[in-house]
Amino acid sequence: MDANAEWEEKHLKEFTEKNGLIDIITDIHSEEDPPPTYARGRNKTDYILGDDHIRRAVVRAGAMDLMDGVSPSDHTMQYIDVDERILFGDDSFCPIMGYQREFRLYDVKRKESFKEKLMEIYTHQSIFERVEKLANRFEEKQWTYK
């Protein structure tokens, strides 16, 4: 979530408390200062939110370097890896077969191919526009609790 707000700001705090959400990356790395999440500041303003069930399933979490994202941005890409047995109740759910997960960031050819395909999907699904609309609604306090 690109909140453009620090964790203690009133509207973000109200939203997360009302919905029982925590900042998973900060919770995982509670012994450390959270990394900055955007280029022009030292504070964390982006979050991966989840409830306690999701948090229990997280085995690794972090943020990539600023220029390692899939689209031009002044924010870092954050990630979580989850244990599917904990998250889904068993390991029968396999969204991606093992041989398809051979993607590594150091593989430039696959990384560029992935970025191109992802941008194609982003464009087709109007992701940038939809996220911007959602962020504007959040900023104007027009979100809904559905």
Side-chain angles (χ1 to χ4, degrees), residues 45-64:
T45 63
D46 303 309
Y47 310 93
I48 295 182
L49 304 176
D51 61 12
D52 289 332
H53 174 71
I54 292 172
R55 170 57 187 93
R56 283 189 300 276
V58 174
V59 294
R60 184 174 45 230
M64 297 169 61

Side-chain angles (χ1 to χ4, degrees), residues 38-80:
Y38 63 105
R40 295 178 306 276
R42 297 184 183 272
N43 298 322
K44 183 175 169 99
T45 63
D46 303 309
Y47 310 93
I48 295 182
L49 304 176
D51 61 12
D52 289 332
H53 174 71
I54 292 172
R55 170 57 187 93
R56 283 189 300 276
V58 174
V59 294
R60 184 174 45 230
M64 297 169 61
D65 288 334
L66 188 61
M67 301 311 287
D68 284 342
V70 295
S71 62
S73 176
D74 61 345
H75 292 256
T76 61
M77 180 181 284
Q78 298 183 45
Y79 65 89
I80 60 172

Side-chain angles (χ1 to χ4, degrees), residues 11-22 49-52 138 143-146:
H11 301 301
L12 181 58
K13 196 75 168 162
E14 179 183 291
F15 173 77
T16 56
E17 286 177 357
K18 183 169 186 165
N19 291 286
L21 302 172
I22 59 171
L49 304 176
D51 61 12
D52 289 332
F138 181 77
W143 64 83
T144 59
Y145 299 103
K146 293 183 181 179

Side-chain angles (χ1 to χ4, degrees), residues 74-118:
D74 61 345
H75 292 256
T76 61
M77 180 181 284
Q78 298 183 45
Y79 65 89
I80 60 172
D81 291 334
V82 297
D83 181 321
E84 64 190 50
R85 288 176 302 267
I86 296 171
L87 187 62
F88 301 114
D90 63 25
D91 58 5
S92 63
F93 177 76
C94 184
I96 302 172
M97 299 303 292
Y99 65 87
Q100 294 173 319
R101 290 192 304 248
E102 296 175 6
F103 174 76
R104 301 286 185 262
L105 286 176
Y106 56 79
D107 185 337
V108 175
K109 187 176 179 180
R110 285 189 180 176
K111 183 169 79 170
E112 291 305 315
S113 176
F114 172 79
K115 286 167 65 173
E116 288 173 17
K117 183 64 178 173
L118 187 60

